[in-house]
Amino acid sequence: MAFFAACALLGVLVGIVSSLFAIGGGVILVPMLPLFLGFSAFQTAATSLMTIFLVTGVNVWGFARQRLVRWPAGLLLGIPSALTALVAGSLAVRAGERVVEIVILCVLIIVTVLTFWKRHVLRGVETPREIAPKERGWLALVG
């Protein structure tokens, strides 16, 4: 029962934090799974990806209802990404858990630095117009 409660709590935390700070939930979830639930690096990667799959599906559905999805670009980006993920998953298993742990650590450090850079160093740089929270409706809550 404690496991289910911890998973539910982490899920809510990831949803809130990722929505508030506009970052991917995996950035929050990946360090939390081994820390609080004792997951291995492979279990963490696989569980995080499954979570992202569910959240992404909900978000695509919501954005599609608002006619915001650019389907050709999404498919042109998504299909090669999915195929590459199959190869990368096989390579990760062959490389071993320690290598995966190091790669996860490096990715988290890079994402942290880039997030800081974007929010603090590039503060005055113009970016493409974002969807206003009013236009996103319930999507502001799911990330």
Side-chain angles (χ1 to χ4, degrees):
M1 187 63 164
F3 175 78
F4 294 109
C7 287
L9 184 61
L10 281 176
V12 170
L13 177 68
V14 166
I16 291 170
V17 172
S18 65
S19 292
L20 289 176
F21 298 109
I23 58 175
V27 173
I28 305 300
L29 193 60
V30 166
M32 299 282 192
L33 289 176
L35 185 65
F36 293 113
L37 298 176
F39 282 25
S40 70
F42 288 133
Q43 291 170 330
T44 296
T47 304
S48 176
L49 289 171
M50 197 279 283
T51 303
I52 292 166
F53 172 75
L54 294 173
V55 173
T56 302
V58 169
N59 281 324
V60 168
W61 175 74
F63 283 121
R65 289 187 62 206
Q66 296 181 46
R67 301 195 192 298
L68 295 170
V69 177
R70 296 186 65 181
W71 292 103
L75 292 172
L76 288 171
L77 292 164
I79 291 171
S81 296
L83 295 175
T84 304
L86 285 173
V87 174
S90 294
L91 292 175
V93 171
R94 289 189 184 137
E97 193 155 335
R98 183 71 179 144
V99 172
V100 172
E101 289 172 347
I102 292 169
V103 170
I104 289 172
L105 177 63
C106 291
V107 168
L108 289 172
I109 290 169
I110 290 168
V111 168
T112 301
V113 169
L114 291 176
T115 300
F116 176 82
W117 181 268
K118 179 181 174 188
R119 299 220 188 268
H120 298 289
V121 176
L122 299 178
R123 184 166 288 208
V125 178
E126 281 191 38
T127 57
R129 178 189 163 295
E130 293 184 20
I131 302 167
K134 181 179 174 184
E135 293 172 320
R136 289 191 296 179
W138 63 272
L139 289 171
L141 297 175
V142 272

